Amino acid sequence: MVRSVRTSGLGCTSAGLTCAAIREGPDFVLEAGALVLADGGVCCIDEFSTIRSHDKAAVHEAMEQQTVSVAKAGLVCRLRSRCSVVAAQNCKGGSAHGRG
C-alpha cells in the first residue's frame, strides 16, 4: 500500500510541511509535517500558489535532498522525506478557459 498525504497551501507553513517542535512538559518533541509523513509515498499539495515564498523553500530541500533538516528548540536532526511531490495551483487569471 502506497503512503499518501494531502495538504492545502491555504494557511500552510514550513512547520506544517516539514516538522514542528512541540512542548511536552519540560521537553520538546518533533511533530512530523506533511513531507515527513509522506516518506516512501506521495505528498499532494493543493493551492500551491498560496504558499509564501519562504515556506516554499522547505519543499525545495525535501525534493532535492530527500531530507528535511531541523534545528528547532535545541533539537538538531535530519528527517527523511523520500516522497514524490504533486503540487497543483490555479491558472493565472483564475480561469482555464481563457479570458472573457
Side-chain angles (χ1 to χ4, degrees), residues 2-8 16-17 32-46 83-87:
V2 176
R3 180 182 305 204
S4 65
V5 175
R6 183 210 178 272
T7 188
S8 175
L17 291 169
L35 293 167
V36 176
L37 289 172
D39 183 41
V42 178
C43 181
C44 300
I45 306 172
D46 193 15
C83 63
S84 297
V85 176
V86 178

Side-chain angles (χ1 to χ4, degrees), residues 17-31:
L17 291 169
T18 58
C19 76
I22 307 295
R23 183 180 290 275
E24 280 194 6
D27 299 320
F28 283 93
V29 295
L30 295 177
E31 185 175 291

Side-chain angles (χ1 to χ4, degrees), residues 8-80:
S8 175
L10 295 172
C12 190
T13 64
S14 60
L17 291 169
T18 58
C19 76
I22 307 295
R23 183 180 290 275
E24 280 194 6
D27 299 320
F28 283 93
V29 295
L30 295 177
E31 185 175 291
L35 293 167
V36 176
L37 289 172
D39 183 41
V42 178
C43 181
C44 300
I45 306 172
D46 193 15
E47 301 289 342
F48 193 75
S49 59
T50 61
I51 298 176
R52 295 180 302 249
S53 60
H54 66 274
D55 292 330
K56 286 181 185 177
V59 179
H60 293 161
E61 180 191 357
M63 291 192 314
E64 292 172 359
Q65 306 298 323
Q66 303 268 296
T67 60
V68 172
S69 299
V70 180
K72 297 180 179 182
L75 301 170
V76 179
C77 64
R78 181 170 286 164
L79 304 171
R80 292 181 180 172

